[in-house]
Amino acid sequence: MPYPEESQGFMIDGPEPYADFKKRWFKLKPFEEHDVDVKVEACGICGSDVHTIGGGWGPKNWPLCCGHEIVGTAIRVGAKVTNVKQGQRVGVGAQVYSCGECKQCKNDNETYCPHVLIDTYGSKWPNTGIISQGGYSSHVRAHEHWVFAIPDKLETNVAAPMLCAGITAFSPLVRNGAGPGKKVGIVGMGGIGHLGIAFAKALGAETWAISRTRAKEADARKLGADGFIATSEEGWDTEHRFSFDLIVNCANSSKNFDLARYLSVMDVHGRWVSVGLPEEEGQVIKAQNLIANGVLIGASHLGSRKEMIQMLNLAAEKGVGTWIEAIDINEENLKQAMTRMTKGDVRYRFTLTGFDKAFA
Amino acid sequence: MPYPEESQGFMIDGPEPYADFKKRWFKLKPFEEHDVDVKVEACGICGSDVHTIGGGWGPKNWPLCCGHEIVGTAIRVGAKVTNVKQGQRVGVGAQVYSCGECKQCKNDNETYCPHVLIDTYGSKWPNTGIISQGGYSSHVRAHEHWVFAIPDKLETNVAAPMLCAGITAFSPLVRNGAGPGKKVGIVGMGGIGHLGIAFAKALGAETWAISRTRAKEADARKLGADGFIATSEEGWDTEHRFSFDLIVNCANSSKNFDLARYLSVMDVHGRWVSVGLPEEEGQVIKAQNLIANGVLIGASHLGSRKEMIQMLNLAAEKGVGTWIEAIDINEENLKQAMTRMTKGDVRYRFTLTGFDKAFA
């Protein structure tokens, strides 16, 4: 067999026992003319993986191999593939397919496709019913639309988390006008948020990091933040009242979150866009809380192929890089990393490495 | 005394006893160089008046004279007034002053001024502490920025409700791109909503009325609606999934309102903008409900002077008119109108008339 029809990865069978990874073979979807096989060389550990593995986002198509911040080598490309060349270094993010035919897909909104939306892991492929599996593995298979050339200047381990964390922060920034003359805030300085700060600055916006305490202030400033707000201090909301054009909320939890207070710092028709999906119940919103400044509240889901390419090029050009802690992929390290992630104990992203060793 | 320093109006002392209007004299703010005195000839009855009078929006600066959909004659203009000529037919809406100096005021966002925002009734004027009083009265006094020439083609009684209901619907339409090629919905066919339908159509949008039942369908189509959705019927959300660019929510109540279902008909990054301020508790929103289409939820407050002028001209040009029931202003009629308003028993706005008789 010249090409793999199966991949080998670290899977779990459900939330219990916690983070009990087991190396197993799993079946890939049948290879089609627009597909690309990627031999994984690095994979970031995303908050989504942690929510999924812990069961916080509810039942999933177990067993699962997580991981959707992938960089590797395109080892096989389908007959009709034009975006990718065999042997090229490429990335795969959190989605591997959409219908490609609808208004949304044709309008650079393919991550919002209402018809077919296949996540990199945990989705059922139409026709075959095979469950998609992620990058804690030897190989992934994706439609070429979702496979992105990595610019030479970006290191593999640093680029990997950009494929999900990076684009998750980048898309709402560019879609909501982050740039010169705009005051932009990033709430929550984790994997997504730290890239949000770096990209907001790279786009030319006046960039503010917004965190509970000042513990991460020095890091925020190194990442490019022009200003820093610690929400545990008095008076920040009064000081910044009616001033932000955009805040991208990257917080992973909505616990004890006084949304009305945050909204009060938005300028008229400013945008409050959430990219996290907290496990807690939502927040009560009254029109009364929105009317003083006519603020708009929204959410954002990944970003288009065009935005992904724009982001990778901007990162290469401006030297934007993920702050990573590289760890070799194996059962023990995965379990430890998951546990540390739930405590926010990483600055600011784990990248899994050593795939050759794990899948020799 | 050549000009009135007091005005006479129908006031109430609080929510109890309900709608117990009493004709009284009240003091106007001191007349200043940019002020205009308007002798009232017609005044719409706004939902705000009903919420205020019934106590649903909480404590107010009692006693109060409501009314902020005013048309009348400018009988006195301050020395520095340039917008209005004495003797001109003019309108006054729900706001009569803002600071005029801040970024928001200079940016056509004067209805969101964070510094000084004086509602037509119930606000305390700086310096004097005099409470502003509305148009259920013989005269109102307003800063010229908030006084608008009424185009000849618009009838006084028909124009009056446009000063609040009209602009409340119009501003979010123009600010969110309602026009040719856009699919726009109006939820709630009352005083604001019926003008929303007419203005959305006048702006060239594909206009849909959205109501619980089909009781108002014929009216909606007369107002210009291209389509009608009855949300008590099955399947409407599936049929219109991912299709609306903008919905202006004019509903006066959020009772039994399944927001997630409404949001599911929005296209990617569509806008759901509420202009009503229901008395009920707000709605729980999770990022999960917003992420499928990246919808933005907002609220809107009145509209700028520029938009008011644009709206009045568009109404004159396209023949947009409020559907009114005219009633003479007196204690009994006011009480009856309030009671009917709480039941939605008017198609679609009361305009008070007969001011000469009431304030002879």
Side-chain angles (χ1 to χ4, degrees):
Chain A
M1 192 171 71
Y3 300 111
E5 285 313 312
E6 291 206 328
S7 176
Q8 197 180 12
F10 292 91
M11 305 187 84
I12 62 152
D13 292 317
E16 302 286 344
Y18 183 69
D20 187 26
F21 290 90
K22 286 181 180 131
K23 191 157 70 170
R24 294 210 195 113
W25 290 93
F26 56 82
K27 208 169 165 182
L28 296 168
K29 75 176 278 288
F31 192 85
E32 292 172 272
E33 291 175 318
H34 284 283
D35 284 346
V36 178
D37 278 353
V38 178
K39 182 171 175 293
V40 183
E41 281 153 28
C43 184
I45 298 182
C46 179
S48 305
D49 304 350
V50 182
H51 287 293
T52 299
I53 284 167
W57 281 353
K60 299 287 170 188
N61 289 315
W62 310 113
L64 268 186
C65 177
C66 289
H68 57 210
E69 299 183 335
I70 301 161
V71 173
T73 303
I75 53 164
R76 180 186 183 190
V77 301
K80 292 195 173 162
V81 167
T82 59
N83 289 332
V84 178
K85 288 193 184 71
Q86 196 174 314
Q88 200 172 14
R89 189 173 61 136
V90 294
V92 174
Q95 191 174 336
V96 288
Y97 193 73
S98 69
C99 88
E101 302 291 335
C102 68
K103 177 185 166 192
Q104 287 77 19
C105 281
K106 295 198 165 168
N107 217 7
D108 296 317
N109 286 319
E110 63 267 38
T111 61
Y112 302 92
C113 174
H115 305 289
V116 190
L117 200 156
I118 305 290
D119 294 326
T120 299
Y121 61 81
S123 290
K124 200 173 275 191
W125 282 99
N127 306 326
T128 63
I130 290 173
I131 304 301
S132 61
Q133 304 291 354
Y136 297 179
S137 66
S138 60
H139 301 85
V140 292
R141 180 166 290 172
H143 184 279
E144 62 167 324
H145 184 87
W146 306 90
V147 182
F148 311 93
I150 304 294
D152 290 344
K153 278 192 183 169
L154 296 181
E155 256 186 80
T156 293
N157 294 351
V158 166
M162 291 187 189
L163 276 294
C164 174
I167 194 67
T168 295
F170 187 76
S171 177
L173 287 170
V174 292
R175 289 184 180 213
N176 294 289
K182 300 288 180 181
K183 183 171 174 180
V184 173
I186 303 289
V187 170
M189 234 181 100
I192 302 173
H194 89 289
L195 285 172
I197 293 167
F199 279 123
K201 185 64 182 176
L203 289 164
E206 180 190 330
T207 303
W208 287 74
I210 305 174
S211 196
R212 305 216 183 210
T213 72
R214 294 202 174 265
K216 296 175 178 170
E217 179 168 4
D219 286 357
R221 295 201 183 265
K222 270 186 225 156
L223 285 159
D226 300 294
F228 191 93
I229 294 172
T231 58
S232 57
E233 297 172 5
E234 282 303 305
W236 65 274
D237 48 342
T238 318
E239 189 185 332
H240 291 276
R241 192 169 166 238
F242 269 82
S243 73
F244 278 94
D245 296 292
L246 168 65
I247 291 183
V248 179
N249 171 26
C250 308
N252 210 7
S253 160
S254 55
K255 235 176 175 171
N256 303 320
F257 202 83
D258 182 356
L259 182 61
R261 207 167 165 196
Y262 285 82
L263 296 182
S264 74
V265 304
M266 305 306 300
D267 197 3
V268 177
H269 305 321
R271 315 275 182 94
W272 170 271
V273 181
S274 291
V275 299
L277 290 176
E279 297 178 6
E280 297 89 9
E281 273 313 299
Q283 306 212 261
V284 175
I285 296 184
K286 298 187 73 163
Q288 279 84 338
N289 299 143
L290 310 178
I291 207 165
N293 51 10
V295 63
L296 290 155
I297 296 180
S300 175
H301 183 224
L302 307 174
S304 68
R305 176 172 180 86
K306 279 191 187 158
E307 286 162 348
M308 187 76 92
I309 292 167
Q310 186 192 350
M311 174 194 74
L312 292 168
N313 289 338
L314 183 71
E317 181 199 326
K318 301 258 184 181
V320 172
T322 318
W323 290 18
I324 61 149
E325 180 176 335
I327 52 171
D328 275 352
I329 187 167
N330 60 47
E331 291 85 346
E332 189 45 40
N333 281 357
L334 278 168
K335 184 169 193 161
Q336 207 173 79
M338 294 298 147
T339 308
R340 285 182 53 194
M341 286 278 283
T342 58
K343 300 178 194 153
D345 176 24
V346 57
R347 293 201 175 178
Y348 286 91
R349 203 59 146 187
F350 288 112
T351 297
L352 297 163
T353 55
F355 284 71
D356 272 344
K357 199 163 49 185
F359 306 110
Chain B
M1 194 168 71
Y3 300 110
E5 285 313 312
E6 291 206 326
S7 176
Q8 198 180 10
F10 292 90
M11 305 186 83
I12 63 153
D13 291 317
E16 302 285 343
Y18 183 68
D20 186 25
F21 289 91
K22 288 184 179 129
K23 189 156 72 171
R24 292 206 198 119
W25 291 93
F26 56 83
K27 210 170 164 182
L28 296 167
K29 74 176 278 290
F31 192 86
E32 292 173 271
E33 290 175 319
H34 283 284
D35 284 346
V36 177
D37 278 353
V38 178
K39 183 172 174 294
V40 183
E41 280 153 28
C43 184
I45 298 182
C46 179
S48 305
D49 304 350
V50 182
H51 286 295
T52 299
I53 283 168
W57 281 353
K60 300 287 169 185
N61 290 313
W62 309 113
L64 269 186
C65 179
C66 290
H68 59 210
E69 299 184 335
I70 300 161
V71 173
T73 303
I75 56 165
R76 181 186 182 188
V77 302
K80 291 194 174 164
V81 167
T82 58
N83 288 333
V84 178
K85 288 194 184 70
Q86 196 174 314
Q88 200 171 13
R89 189 172 60 136
V90 295
V92 174
Q95 191 173 337
V96 289
Y97 191 74
S98 69
C99 87
E101 303 290 335
C102 67
K103 176 185 167 193
Q104 287 77 20
C105 281
K106 294 197 167 169
N107 218 5
D108 297 316
N109 287 318
E110 63 268 37
T111 61
Y112 302 93
C113 174
H115 306 289
V116 190
L117 198 155
I118 306 289
D119 294 325
T120 299
Y121 62 82
S123 289
K124 202 173 274 190
W125 283 99
N127 305 325
T128 63
I130 290 171
I131 304 301
S132 61
Q133 303 291 354
Y136 298 179
S137 67
S138 59
H139 302 84
V140 293
R141 182 165 288 170
H143 185 280
E144 62 166 325
H145 184 86
W146 306 90
V147 182
F148 311 93
I150 304 293
D152 290 343
K153 278 192 183 167
L154 296 181
E155 255 186 81
T156 294
N157 294 350
V158 166
M162 291 188 189
L163 276 296
C164 175
I167 193 67
T168 295
F170 186 76
S171 177
L173 287 170
V174 292
R175 289 184 180 212
N176 295 289
K182 300 289 180 179
K183 183 172 175 180
V184 172
I186 304 288
V187 170
M189 234 180 99
I192 302 172
H194 88 289
L195 285 172
I197 293 167
F199 279 123
K201 185 64 183 176
L203 288 164
E206 179 190 331
T207 303
W208 288 73
I210 305 174
S211 195
R212 304 216 184 211
T213 71
R214 295 203 173 263
K216 295 176 179 170
E217 179 169 4
D219 287 357
R221 295 202 182 261
K222 271 186 225 157
L223 285 159
D226 299 295
F228 191 94
I229 294 171
T231 58
S232 57
E233 297 171 5
E234 283 303 304
W236 65 274
D237 48 341
T238 317
E239 190 185 334
H240 292 277
R241 192 169 167 237
F242 270 82
S243 73
F244 279 94
D245 296 293
L246 168 64
I247 291 183
V248 179
N249 171 26
C250 307
N252 211 6
S253 159
S254 55
K255 237 176 172 170
N256 304 320
F257 202 83
D258 184 357
L259 183 60
R261 206 167 166 196
Y262 284 83
L263 296 181
S264 74
V265 302
M266 305 305 302
D267 197 4
V268 177
H269 306 321
R271 314 276 183 94
W272 170 270
V273 181
S274 290
V275 299
L277 290 174
E279 297 178 4
E280 297 89 9
E281 274 312 300
Q283 307 213 261
V284 175
I285 296 185
K286 297 188 75 162
Q288 279 84 339
N289 299 142
L290 310 178
I291 208 165
N293 51 10
V295 63
L296 290 155
I297 295 180
S300 175
H301 183 224
L302 306 174
S304 69
R305 177 174 180 83
K306 277 191 190 158
E307 286 162 347
M308 187 76 91
I309 292 166
Q310 186 191 349
M311 173 194 75
L312 292 169
N313 289 338
L314 183 71
E317 182 199 326
K318 300 257 185 182
V320 172
T322 319
W323 289 19
I324 61 149
E325 180 176 336
I327 53 170
D328 275 354
I329 187 168
N330 60 47
E331 291 85 347
E332 189 46 40
N333 281 356
L334 278 168
K335 184 169 192 159
Q336 207 172 79
M338 294 299 146
T339 308
R340 285 181 54 195
M341 286 278 285
T342 57
K343 299 179 197 154
D345 176 22
V346 57
R347 294 203 173 174
Y348 285 91
R349 203 60 147 186
F350 289 112
T351 297
L352 297 163
T353 55
F355 284 71
D356 272 343
K357 199 162 49 183
F359 306 110

